[in-house]
């Protein structure tokens, strides 16, 4: 461990160089079948989520700026028929992939790895024309690199207040770009070096549009780092571990020297998970319990008081008791529980601004209390409901749906994607599923791009 | 501080005088570096059909305002300071909307003032943590300057500031490589991006600098908000940024235009003059 402000400088192993060498040497054949399957699930999920969010006002804002001031519109934009320059396409896609807080999550680091990576992949597709296998390789490398980096600076980095999806995502996006541009190990290290000086993401942005901007900006910044490195732009080649480098500057304590650079085993991507509910993940066990209780309580008007026994991270990360809109509601555990009790299902509809601000929803929400308990694990929760007639009904959840121990099945993931995609593009979910499934054998990204654009 | 920066006041003499020097300093550095290897490497895009276009200082090719600001600051950035992203952002966005010289100059005053005040508020801990102030304070100043050129009012300006704040970054460990001037270049482009996004109603955290998980909490251990507001609008601390770099290779016409920049009906006259400057 080193301290960013400590006076002693401990020489670190050359992890940037080692990682860059492993990235350059990596072939898709090195990937165990279960990890490739997980990569496909991650890509399918993030594409569906981004399509579902493609009408968000934040996407409109980014595309308006692209139209006003951008370069030649060459890159596809998820869910839309317009194109944008690579920079703004990356911003729009990364934003859409993350704004509903419905994308994939690596629980140990709370990184959402696929958002920035898929955005970089699509933005660079026109200029790099990758084969399906090269695209999948770039996707895997971008996710895996940022996850391993995240592990090496956790938990301090996130606890300090950084939005790890933006910071590590910038490095991941640069790696995806480096892979698409077929950079050698040295140029890959330089791409990482430029990206280390392009990091983005403070947790103050949670509940604001800027939170999802972090994922889009990570993609745009990583993309630029890779393109510059490809042209010979110079940068530190030890940026992750150098004194005053990425790890020192972005974590009050870290163990960057332990960064696992062997890309043959121990894939963090295998531990990726998919959210059943579009909100902060720590509230999911409580929402599971609320959904289960909804059939037992019948009419939500019969609810008198609700106590949510939960891990202390729930109020810490999702403690907003009076959300004013859908974005804020994503950081409100009491809103998620309220919706689970009232509707028996918690999807995008339950986070519509009009629903969040409804008077009877606010009234029910006010009857829900969070009771943090350090003995309750993060994947568990117990919800106790007292009805107006005095009856008490209770539901305990040990392992949340969508957790590592109880992952969403392929069928559940497909149902989630259908709910996101079909209202916008009927029949498209199956097309996307096929394009992702066959991507490693595809000649190019054409089928995938056709599946995700309007 | 943002209310101050977003007000529509025109600044008066003698406040504008150091800003003119800062503009000339930056142009001098940018012209000296306009065709340096790092800039040639980074120069890429032609503009698309978009209405807003601009030139990097001393470079003939028309490009996007983001790219123009990036390349100008990359050229100027070898030994430029906080003012580099501010000036380069203001000139590029100013050209792309055909702003008046006074608008651009006053935007630079406001942007530099914010950048220096934030630098003082963050204190020495900010540098000790490894951050390059061009990518942090300079990025905020660039956003303020660009927002002012676009005429954003208080709420939108606060959003521009918040968008730039959460993108703050850049490591001093990059010194000695092209990535050091890159930090100021990215900050200049991001300042414009933040302002354009805010104008398009993209929103950000209201307490992006001083909030519990905001820039100051994350990037320094010596934050003192007092310098943000002490003597605001009375004492212009950014005058300290005006250094007298050697302007010898700046063409006379450029110097003459900067000397009366606040009277130029269009900033384009000044940008155009830099394009015919002989490369050095």
């Amino acid at each position: 461990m080193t301290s960013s402000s400590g006076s002693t400088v401990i020489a670190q192993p050359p992890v940037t160089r080692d990682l860059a060498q492993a990235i350059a040497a990596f072939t898709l054949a090195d990937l165990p079948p279960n990890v490739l399957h997980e990569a496909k699930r991650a890509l399918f999920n993030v594409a569906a989520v981004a399509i579902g969010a493609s009408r968000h006002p934040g996407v409109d804002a980014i595309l308006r700026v692209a139209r006003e001031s951008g370069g030649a519109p060459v890159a596809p934009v998820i869910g839309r028929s317009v194109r944008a320059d690579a920079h703004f396409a990356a911003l729009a896609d990364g934003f859409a992939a993350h704004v509903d807080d419905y994308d994939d999550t690596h629980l140990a680091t709370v990184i959402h790895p696929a958002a920035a990576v898929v955005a970089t992949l699509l933005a660079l597709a026109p200029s790099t024309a990758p084969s399906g296998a090269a695209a999948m390789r770039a996707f895997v490398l971008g996710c895996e690199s940022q996850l391993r980096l995240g592990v090496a600076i956790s938990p301090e980095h996130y606890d300090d207040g950084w939005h790890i999806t933006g910071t590590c995502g910038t490095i991941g996006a640069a790696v995806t770009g480096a892979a698409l541009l077929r950079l050698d190990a040295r140029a890959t290290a330089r791409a990482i070096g430029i990206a280390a000086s392009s990091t983005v993401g403070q947790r103050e942005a949670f509940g604001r549009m800027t939170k999802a901007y972090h994922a889009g900006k990570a993609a745009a910044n990583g993309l630029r780092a890779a393109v510059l490195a490809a042209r010979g732009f110079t940068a530190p080649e030890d940026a992750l571990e150098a004194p005053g480098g990425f790890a020192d500057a972005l974590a009050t304590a870290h163990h960057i020297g332990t960064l696992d650079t062997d890309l043959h085993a121990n894939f963090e991507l295998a531990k990726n998970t998919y959210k059943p509910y579009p909100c902060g993940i720590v509230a999911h066990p409580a929402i599971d319990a609320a959904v289960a209780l909804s059939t037992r309580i019948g009419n939500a008007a019969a609810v008198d008081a609700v106590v949510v026994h939960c891990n202390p991270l729930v109020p810490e990360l999702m403690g907003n008791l009076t959300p004013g809109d859908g974005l804020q509601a994503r950081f409100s555990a009491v809103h998620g529980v309220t919706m689970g009790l009232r509707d028996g299902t918690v999807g995008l509809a339950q986070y519509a601004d009009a629903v969040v601000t409804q008077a009877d929803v606010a009234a029910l929400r006010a009857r829900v209390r969070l009771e943090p308990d350090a003995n309750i694990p993060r994947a568990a929760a117990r919800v106790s409901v007292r009805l107006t007639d005095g009856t008490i009904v209770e539901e305990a959840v040990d392992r949340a749906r969508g957790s590592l121990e109880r992952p969403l099945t392929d069928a559940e993931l497909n149902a989630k994607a259908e709910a996101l995609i079909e209202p916008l593009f009927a029949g498209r979910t199956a097309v996307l599923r096929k394009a992702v499934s066959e991507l490693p054998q595809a000649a190019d990204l054409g089928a995938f791009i056709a599946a995700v654009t309007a | 501080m943002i209310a101050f920066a977003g007000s529509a006041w025109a600044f008066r003499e003698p406040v504008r005088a150091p800003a003119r020097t800062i503009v000339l300093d930056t142009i001098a550095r940018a012209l000296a570096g306009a065709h340096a290897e790092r800039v040639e490497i980074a120069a890429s895009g032609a503009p698309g059909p978009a209405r807003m276009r601009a030139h990097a200082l001393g470079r003939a090719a028309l490009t996007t305002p983001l790219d123009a600001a990036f390349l100008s600051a990359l050229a100027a950035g070898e030994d430029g300071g906080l003012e580099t992203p501010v000036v380069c952002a203001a000139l590029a966005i100013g050209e792309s909307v055909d702003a008046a010289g006074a608008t651009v100059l006053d935007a630079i005053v406001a942007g530099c003032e914010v950048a220096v005040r934030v630098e003082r508020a963050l204190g020495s801990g900010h540098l000790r943590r490894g951050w390059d102030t061009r990518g942090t304070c300079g990025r905020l100043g660039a956003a303020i300057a660009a927002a002012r050129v676009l005429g954003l009012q208080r709420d939108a300006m606060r959003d521009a500031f918040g968008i730039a704040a959460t993108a703050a970054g850049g490591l001093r460990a990059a010194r000695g490589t092209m990535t050091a001037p890159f930090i100021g270049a990215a900050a200049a482009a991001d300042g414009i991006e933040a302002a354009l996004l805010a104008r398009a109603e993209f929103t950000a955290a209201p307490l992006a600098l001083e909030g519990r998980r905001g820039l100051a909490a994350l990037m320094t251990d010596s934050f003192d908000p007092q310098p943000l507001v002490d003597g605001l609008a009375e004492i212009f601390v950014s005058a300290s940024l005006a250094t007298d770099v050697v302007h010898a290779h700046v063409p006379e016409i450029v110097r003459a235009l900067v000397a009366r920049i606040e009277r130029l009906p269009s900033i384009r006259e000044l940008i155009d003059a830099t394009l015919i400057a002989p490369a050095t």
Side-chain angles (χ1 to χ4, degrees):
Chain A
M1 305 276 266
T2 56
S3 160
S4 61
S5 54
S7 52
T8 52
V9 174
I10 300 164
Q12 298 283 0
V15 292
T16 309
R17 185 199 68 189
D18 293 352
L19 181 64
Q21 285 175 349
I23 289 164
F26 179 84
T27 68
L28 211 49
D30 293 342
L31 204 62
N34 68 308
V35 186
L36 180 61
H37 183 66
E38 210 53 61
K40 288 178 178 178
R41 278 160 56 92
L43 184 57
F44 178 60
N45 178 73
V46 80
V49 168
I51 290 170
S54 60
R55 302 294 184 271
H56 192 281
V59 177
D60 290 340
I62 291 167
L63 293 179
R64 178 183 146 192
V65 175
R67 213 164 43 241
E68 286 171 346
S69 73
V74 293
V77 179
I78 295 179
R80 313 286 287 230
S81 55
V82 295
R83 293 188 167 234
D85 69 14
H87 174 83
F88 285 109
L91 271 187
D93 288 347
F95 178 91
H98 191 50
V99 70
D100 281 329
D101 238 294
Y102 217 0
D103 46 344
D104 51 317
T105 309
H106 178 262
L107 294 172
T109 57
V110 288
I111 291 177
H112 305 287
V117 167
V118 76
T120 302
L121 180 63
L122 285 171
L124 276 177
S127 58
T128 59
S131 69
M136 184 53 92
R137 176 180 177 273
F139 179 78
V140 167
L141 285 171
C143 291
E144 189 63 25
S145 304
Q146 63 176 300
L147 293 177
R148 291 184 183 216
L149 176 59
V151 168
I153 57 173
S154 290
E156 289 82 2
H157 172 70
Y158 189 86
D159 291 348
D160 289 344
W162 293 102
H163 185 201
I164 194 166
T165 296
T167 53
C168 292
T170 305
I171 306 292
V175 168
T176 291
L180 291 171
L181 291 158
R182 299 167 193 85
L183 301 192
D184 65 17
R186 197 140 174 235
T188 299
R190 288 176 168 180
I192 293 171
I194 300 166
S197 272
S198 316
T199 57
V200 46
Q202 297 153 11
R203 277 170 49 201
E204 188 67 22
F206 281 21
R208 310 283 168 181
M209 284 191 194
T210 28
K211 185 192 188 225
Y213 173 74
H214 296 162
K217 192 67 175 161
N221 285 358
L223 178 164
R224 179 177 57 193
V227 168
L228 287 174
R231 296 191 199 143
F233 208 80
T234 63
E237 294 173 22
D238 59 352
L240 299 179
E241 75 278 12
F246 178 94
D248 277 0
L250 287 151
T252 49
H254 60 76
H255 42 101
I256 190 71
T258 67
L259 178 67
D260 181 1
T261 58
D262 178 357
L263 292 176
H264 294 88
N266 301 320
F267 287 93
E268 292 297 326
L269 187 51
K271 302 177 206 160
N272 213 18
T273 67
Y274 312 95
K275 293 179 176 183
Y277 313 118
C279 65
I281 204 152
V282 294
H284 287 201
I287 296 173
D288 274 348
V291 168
L293 285 167
S294 67
T295 52
R296 288 160 59 191
I297 61 172
N299 189 342
V303 171
D304 183 36
V306 182
V307 180
V308 179
H309 301 273
C310 55
N311 184 276
L313 269 180
V314 177
E316 155 74 15
L317 297 178
M318 301 211 31
N320 191 332
L321 300 176
T322 53
D325 59 32
L327 262 185
Q328 291 175 14
R330 288 188 161 80
F331 299 90
S332 170
V334 296
H335 179 75
V337 168
T338 298
M339 291 290 95
L341 290 172
R342 193 190 77 154
D343 294 357
T345 179
V346 178
L348 286 183
Q350 281 70 30
Y351 288 87
D353 290 346
V355 172
V356 172
T357 53
Q358 224 169 286
D360 65 319
V361 170
L364 181 54
R365 213 161 43 210
R367 280 174 251 154
V368 182
R369 184 164 61 83
L370 301 179
E371 186 66 52
D373 180 345
N375 293 318
I376 299 177
R378 266 171 60 181
R382 186 162 49 87
V383 175
S384 178
V385 179
R386 191 179 68 216
L387 302 177
T388 44
D389 67 1
T391 320
I392 291 190
V393 290
E394 206 169 80
E395 180 77 19
V397 168
D398 289 335
R399 302 178 193 294
R401 216 158 61 85
S403 67
L404 207 48
E405 298 82 1
R406 203 179 143 206
L408 285 199
T409 63
D410 288 354
E412 285 176 317
L413 203 55
N414 194 61
K416 172 183 172 182
E418 279 179 349
L420 289 163
I421 298 173
E422 296 301 313
L424 291 170
F425 305 104
R428 191 66 78 78
T429 311
V431 176
L432 175 65
R433 195 173 59 242
K434 183 165 184 286
V436 170
S437 168
E438 295 174 357
L439 185 60
Q441 289 78 42
D444 56 35
L445 265 175
F448 179 73
I449 290 172
V452 298
T453 49
Chain B
M1 186 180 61
I2 289 172
F4 150 78
S7 65
W9 302 339
F11 296 112
R12 288 189 291 269
E13 302 301 336
V15 169
R16 282 171 165 174
R20 277 191 297 270
T21 308
I22 291 167
V23 171
L24 194 58
D25 287 347
T26 303
I27 292 177
R29 292 192 186 101
L31 292 183
H35 295 280
E37 188 191 4
R38 63 183 181 278
V39 181
E40 297 299 344
I41 287 175
S44 57
R51 188 172 42 81
M52 298 174 73
R53 298 168 173 205
H55 294 89
L57 294 166
R59 294 184 61 90
L62 203 53
T63 185
T64 66
L66 264 64
D67 196 40
F70 181 89
L71 294 175
S72 293
L74 187 63
E78 194 97 283
D79 43 26
L82 285 184
E83 73 292 344
T84 301
V86 178
V87 173
C88 295
L91 291 175
I93 192 74
E95 180 187 357
S96 68
V97 300
D98 200 14
T103 303
V104 173
L105 184 68
D106 287 351
I108 289 168
V109 171
C112 286
E113 193 62 19
V114 166
V116 173
R117 285 176 176 272
V118 171
E119 182 188 35
R120 292 183 180 185
L122 295 176
S124 60
H126 185 54
L127 291 174
R128 210 163 48 238
R129 292 270 186 103
W131 300 108
D132 183 327
T133 54
R134 291 173 297 187
T136 55
C137 317
R139 188 177 247 99
L140 295 174
I144 292 292
R148 214 181 135 114
V149 170
L150 292 174
L152 300 192
Q153 296 305 305
R154 189 187 297 196
D155 285 354
M157 180 158 291
R158 193 181 57 188
D159 285 328
F161 185 85
I163 295 165
T166 204
L171 302 171
R172 291 169 68 213
R175 61 185 165 270
T177 71
M178 294 176 185
T179 301
F182 161 87
I183 291 167
D190 277 5
I192 293 178
E193 178 174 307
L196 288 171
L197 283 172
R199 185 171 74 166
E201 297 176 12
F202 202 90
T203 55
L207 302 179
L209 176 63
E210 68 274 38
R212 191 165 77 94
R213 302 295 191 195
L215 189 156
L218 273 58
M219 299 179 102
T220 188
D221 46 26
S222 55
F223 182 59
D224 172 11
Q226 210 53 47
L228 297 174
V229 289
D230 268 355
L232 193 62
E234 288 160 20
I235 303 164
F236 285 79
V237 294
S238 57
S240 62
L241 291 173
T243 62
D244 274 303
V245 296
V246 179
H247 298 147
H249 51 279
V250 177
E252 188 51 46
I253 174 71
V254 172
R255 269 193 271 189
L257 289 171
V258 172
R260 55 185 176 85
I261 182 171
E262 68 274 15
R263 295 198 297 275
L264 300 180
S266 167
I267 196 68
R268 285 180 179 163
E269 196 179 343
L270 172 59
I271 306 296
D272 286 347
T274 72
L275 305 183
I276 52 167
T280 49

